[in-house]
Amino acid sequence: MKLKPTRTRFSVLIMLFVVTAINYMDRANLSVAGSHIQGEFALSPTQLGLLFSMFTWFYAMSQIPVGYLLDRIGSRWLYGSAIVLWSVFTLMMGFASHHLFTTATASFMMLLACRALVGMAEAPSFPSNTKIIATWFPDHERARATATYSSAQYIGLALLTPALSLIVSKWGWEMSFYISGMVGIVFGIYWLMTYRDPQHSKSVNQAELEIIRKGGGYGSASQHAGSRVNWQSVRYILRQRTTWGLFIAQFAASSTLYFFLTWFIVYLEKGLHLSIDKAGIGAMFPYLMAMAGVLCGGTLSDLLLKRGHSRTFSRKLPVMAGMLLTCSIALVNFFQDQPVIAIGILSIAFFANAFSNLGWVVCSDVIPRHLIGTIGGFLNIFGNLSGIASPIIIGVILQRTQNFQYAMWYIAAVALAGFLAYLFLVGKIELMTPPESEAEADSKKNLHPSEIQG
């Protein structure tokens, strides 16, 4: 009797969904509390922009060492420890208003320090997610799996932003950090107790492992070949035109995302003149549309691939269409006195931005498995350079113009640059094979599987 395959990989996907929701809750809680923190400590728009961007400075700075560590020690311990740490630092942000800090400057420095530490601790998140998906899922399920866990960032924001807004309104901005931090600490401990890679999992059977192996996941030749990080191979990957196209596109896509993670609630309050409670409710719609967008983009990509279209067409179509439609965010400038229409435009633009969110899928398609952590670190650096630049640029624009119009034009222009990067730089979507990897693969043909590091 043929053994029925287990579905352990989908339990792993649920864990990634939950941790991604927590991740983005801890990124966005500062946006929800931003106006209140700005008022309490008399911060200028530029100072608030610096506080918004502080997370990303250290998040991006940590990507290369974290990616290398991920390829060396694996996802379980690195990711689990990171969840606990970033949650502790999130909780500590609530203490910035404590009487121990006798001046507003001291409180501001406390917030900056904690936000930087949250950024460092969250650095393993997406390289770990990508490596776990590439290990646990066959290639024809990866775009949908990535879209599923990525949708958590939007549904988490859609559901949790109104809740955090209510908490800030009723109990003060500090409480939003205390609650966010405690939720993450509990889940981080749960991750350390339960997550295992396929070779160590007690709930996966051989039939499911065979499905994964045949699809290029754990146990396949692409997982085994050249499993040690080779810096000559890394340099080869970094010299490819497609790699730089992916980097530029990731910067472009993340610029829109970081607007919604930082200045969005402030825009609803000060640009559209909504109260904090109404801003929290209004924020739900763009976040829910973004969740729909990421699911539609991933599903369409896998469906096209399954129906026989090339991997290049299946991956590039959603990305390019989504980035082009994201440029429509600039239309909101003509409806700032009509909040309902403005939020509708923002919802369409965020849907399109999320629809194009296949950067990590393409990364897993073109980067050898043993280099995903390292090259994924570079990809994350470029994606999060936008998180450094955009909040500060928007803050400077606001301080000089006292309105958001030029900020919206900036976001639209960067989205157009991402579309052009895919059009002119990203070539055929296929696995890059550094010359060294072929030799190393040949040298391992006679090794027993247990001797090969995966």
Side-chain angles (χ1 to χ4, degrees):
M1 181 177 178
K2 189 175 181 181
L3 186 65
K4 185 177 181 180
T6 51
R7 299 172 64 84
T8 303
R9 64 190 185 280
F10 297 108
S11 298
V12 171
L13 183 58
I14 291 172
M15 293 179 68
L16 292 182
F17 182 93
V18 173
V19 73
T20 302
I22 293 171
N23 183 308
Y24 274 80
M25 174 180 66
D26 291 343
R27 296 191 195 196
N29 53 16
L30 181 60
S31 174
V32 175
S35 291
H36 292 258
I37 291 173
Q38 183 180 23
E40 181 167 339
F41 301 122
L43 304 180
S44 70
T46 300
Q47 286 177 309
L48 185 58
L50 176 62
L51 181 57
F52 282 149
S53 73
M54 186 57 61
F55 167 94
T56 321
W57 281 94
F58 286 82
Y59 182 82
M61 192 185 305
S62 304
Q63 288 302 308
I64 301 302
V66 160
Y68 181 76
L69 280 174
L70 176 61
D71 286 332
R72 298 295 295 179
I73 68 176
S75 303
R76 182 193 173 199
W77 289 105
L78 183 64
Y79 205 1
S81 302
I83 297 166
V84 173
L85 280 175
W86 90 56
S87 300
V88 169
F89 297 136
T90 296
L91 186 149
M92 288 174 62
M93 289 184 71
F95 291 104
S97 64
H98 194 273
H99 61 77
L100 177 66
F101 302 97
T102 56
T103 66
T105 299
S107 294
F108 181 54
M109 295 305 294
M110 171 67 172
L111 288 169
L112 286 175
C114 287
R115 196 64 174 172
L117 291 169
V118 172
M120 290 178 67
E122 284 200 11
S125 302
F126 277 82
S128 294
N129 289 350
T130 302
K131 195 175 186 76
I132 290 167
I133 291 295
T135 301
W136 271 100
F137 284 83
D139 57 5
H140 64 277
E141 293 179 355
R142 274 182 212 144
R144 278 174 291 177
T146 300
T148 299
Y149 83 70
S150 295
S151 72
Q153 66 195 31
Y154 306 114
I155 193 169
L157 292 171
L159 298 178
L160 296 174
T161 297
L164 291 172
S165 299
L166 181 62
I167 290 168
V168 170
S169 177
K170 300 295 183 183
W171 295 290
W173 61 267
E174 299 91 342
M175 187 59 67
S176 67
F177 292 102
Y178 297 149
I179 293 174
S180 299
M182 284 306 303
V183 169
I185 290 170
V186 171
F187 187 81
I189 294 170
Y190 174 77
W191 175 279
L192 288 168
M193 292 173 59
T194 58
Y195 176 76
R196 298 292 186 277
D197 286 330
Q199 67 270 35
H200 302 302
S201 174
K202 295 181 179 178
S203 57
V204 64
N205 66 9
Q206 193 59 42
E208 184 177 14
L209 286 176
E210 187 65 14
I211 291 173
I212 296 169
R213 185 192 65 77
K214 286 182 177 179
Y218 171 76
S220 67
S222 62
Q223 291 274 333
H224 287 162
S227 62
R228 291 183 177 85
V229 179
N230 182 306
W231 289 104
Q232 190 172 353
S233 299
V234 172
R235 286 193 295 271
Y236 173 87
I237 298 295
L238 292 177
R239 288 197 299 265
Q240 305 308 304
R241 189 180 68 175
T242 290
T243 303
W244 283 93
L246 293 178
F247 289 168
I248 294 169
Q250 196 73 359
F251 177 94
S254 296
S255 293
T256 303
L257 174 62
Y258 271 104
F259 166 75
F260 282 95
L261 288 175
T262 56
W263 283 104
F264 179 44
I265 300 296
V266 179
Y267 172 75
L268 294 180
E269 290 184 86
K270 297 187 176 181
L272 301 185
H273 309 292
L274 302 177
S275 67
I276 181 64
D277 293 337
K278 289 182 179 179
I281 295 171
M284 289 179 62
F285 299 102
Y287 290 143
L288 287 172
M289 284 291 286
M291 180 196 69
V294 74
L295 291 173
C296 289
T299 300
L300 174 63
S301 179
D302 276 352
L303 185 61
L304 289 171
L305 190 63
K306 191 173 182 179
R307 291 192 174 181
H309 292 280
S310 71
R311 189 178 301 273
T312 300
F313 179 80
S314 301
R315 301 307 194 210
K316 291 177 77 170
L317 177 65
V319 174
M320 294 175 69
M323 286 190 171
L324 199 57
L325 186 56
T326 301
C327 298
S328 67
I329 196 170
L331 295 176
V332 78
N333 290 335
F334 303 101
F335 298 96
Q336 286 186 315
D337 58 343
Q338 301 178 60
V340 173
I341 297 177
I343 290 174
I345 293 170
L346 290 166
S347 299
I348 292 170
F350 208 14
F351 171 92
N353 174 255
F355 188 81
S356 72
N357 186 21
L358 292 177
W360 287 102
V361 179
V362 177
C363 177
S364 69
D365 284 335
V366 302
I367 305 301
R369 301 291 177 266
H370 66 291
L371 295 177
I372 283 179
T374 304
I375 301 299
F378 282 99
L379 182 69
N380 231 359
I381 284 177
F382 277 84
N384 286 284
L385 283 175
S386 63
I388 295 171
S390 296
I392 295 176
I393 290 171
I394 292 172
V396 171
I397 289 171
L398 287 176
Q399 193 154 335
R400 293 189 177 185
T401 67
Q402 303 303 312
N403 67 66
F404 279 87
Q405 290 192 8
Y406 286 102
M408 296 304 180
W409 287 114
Y410 162 75
I411 294 168
V414 176
L416 180 61
F419 168 81
L420 294 174
Y422 256 78
L423 183 62
F424 294 112
L425 294 178
V426 177
K428 189 175 182 181
I429 306 299
E430 60 184 1
L431 189 67
M432 299 181 193
T433 307
E436 300 78 20
S437 295
E438 295 177 357
E440 290 176 8
D442 289 340
S443 69
K444 290 188 175 184
K445 284 182 178 178
N446 296 322
L447 291 179
H448 188 273
S450 65
E451 297 178 278
I452 300 173
Q453 298 177 4

